[in-house]
Amino acid sequence: MFTGIVESVGTLKSLSKRGNGYEIVVETADKFNLKDRVRLGDSIANNGVCLTVTKISGNCYYADVSAETVEHTCFSHYTRGQKINLELACTPSTHLGGHIMQGHVDGVGEVVKKAALDDAINVWIKAPADLLKYIAHKGSIAVDGVSLTVNEIEGDTFRLTLIPHTQDSINFGNFEPGSHVNLEVDVLARYLERLFLQSSEEKKPVKSGITMESLLRNGF
């Protein structure tokens, strides 16, 4: 799991086709301390996408991106040089400064507008229709792996406000109009939907398998 508090920004050095997916190489900054903190098999959130480290070389790590991940994330839009928000998987002692995230991207949004508000920046993002029901005013959402608060919802678009510290800590260049961003809705919303659907199904009358024909066949 992750919390949406970006630790560092890496650079996509290589994106090699592997079947219907990719093998990627991400270069990390010295402060990420890759060799001392990461082992083979560890999970890292890459712009909000949980990937498994398969190899480490210097300040770079390798990871495989499946066809499923390519289909549901922004990786199909990425090219060499793409900046990547990085976060290591959390531990039981991790400070939960954001919100609980799984690194399972739900869909791709599009930045439609950006405007200054004093020293903060307002950003409007258009979300896929099937995700809108999970996005709540003052709720949490992960955008390219960054835990952010939804400040306004209008139609299929929601507004975020990025304070200066957030702007300085993430790949802020990807929040330009026309950019595509990975979206992960609050996991609690998904589980609540599942619970309500299951509860609703259980309340439906159960259709009996007993018929007049089956009664006669069994001697009644």
Side-chain angles (χ1 to χ4, degrees), residues 108-126:
V108 174
E110 181 182 355
V111 179
V112 294
K113 183 180 175 183
K114 185 176 84 170
L117 178 66
D118 299 323
D119 57 354
I121 299 288
N122 277 330
V123 177
W124 286 262
I125 297 175
K126 181 179 179 180

Side-chain angles (χ1 to χ4, degrees), residues 1 7 17-18 21 27 29 60 121 123-124 130 147 208 217:
M1 293 193 302
E7 298 181 47
K17 196 73 174 172
R18 177 170 285 184
E27 184 179 45
C60 296
I121 299 288
V123 177
W124 286 262
D130 59 337
S147 175
S208 173
R217 188 169 58 246

Side-chain angles (χ1 to χ4, degrees), residues 8-216:
S8 181
V9 176
T11 303
L12 186 61
K13 301 296 289 184
S14 173
L15 187 74
S16 306
K17 196 73 174 172
R18 177 170 285 184
N20 291 316
Y22 297 105
E23 179 184 62
I24 66 168
V25 180
V26 178
E27 184 179 45
T28 64
D30 290 340
K31 67 176 183 179
F32 192 68
N33 204 9
L34 179 68
K35 280 195 169 181
D36 292 336
R37 301 174 64 215
V38 178
R39 298 290 180 267
L40 296 185
D42 283 356
S43 296
I44 299 180
N46 299 257
N47 275 357
V49 182
C50 177
L51 297 176
T52 301
V53 175
T54 60
K55 180 181 175 181
I56 297 173
S57 177
N59 279 350
C60 296
Y61 65 86
Y62 292 64
D64 293 326
V65 183
S66 70
E68 172 78 10
T69 299
V70 172
E71 182 180 354
H72 292 95
T73 71
C74 291
F75 269 96
S76 59
H77 299 282
Y78 292 166
T79 57
R80 185 175 179 180
Q82 170 74 39
K83 296 300 181 182
I84 305 285
N85 293 321
L86 304 177
E87 182 189 357
L88 285 179
C90 63
T91 67
S93 60
T94 299
H95 180 68
L96 294 175
H99 71 282
I100 294 174
M101 292 163 42
Q102 296 179 302
H104 302 162
V105 171
D106 294 299
V108 174
E110 181 182 355
V111 179
V112 294
K113 183 180 175 183
K114 185 176 84 170
L117 178 66
D118 299 323
D119 57 354
I121 299 288
N122 277 330
V123 177
W124 286 262
I125 297 175
K126 181 179 179 180
D130 59 337
L131 296 188
L132 292 172
K133 60 184 176 180
Y134 302 112
I135 301 173
H137 181 234
K138 295 304 178 184
S140 295
I141 191 167
V143 181
D144 270 357
V146 185
S147 175
L148 295 166
T149 301
V150 176
N151 289 323
E152 181 183 8
I153 301 172
E154 184 173 346
D156 60 0
T157 302
F158 62 93
R159 177 175 61 85
L160 309 167
T161 301
L162 280 64
I163 62 174
H165 175 77
T166 303
Q167 298 171 38
D168 294 338
S169 303
I170 67 170
N171 169 29
F172 187 58
N174 214 34
F175 284 76
E176 294 293 334
S179 296
H180 293 91
V181 289
N182 293 319
L183 301 178
E184 181 184 340
V185 299
D186 194 336
V187 64
L188 295 178
R190 292 202 300 256
Y191 280 119
L192 280 172
E193 179 189 44
R194 178 61 181 164
L195 286 170
F196 279 122
L197 284 175
Q198 185 174 348
S199 176
S200 176
E201 288 293 325
E202 289 173 351
K203 290 178 180 177
K204 289 182 179 179
V206 178
K207 185 178 180 180
S208 173
I210 300 174
T211 64
M212 182 61 71
E213 182 182 351
S214 67
L215 289 172
L216 291 172

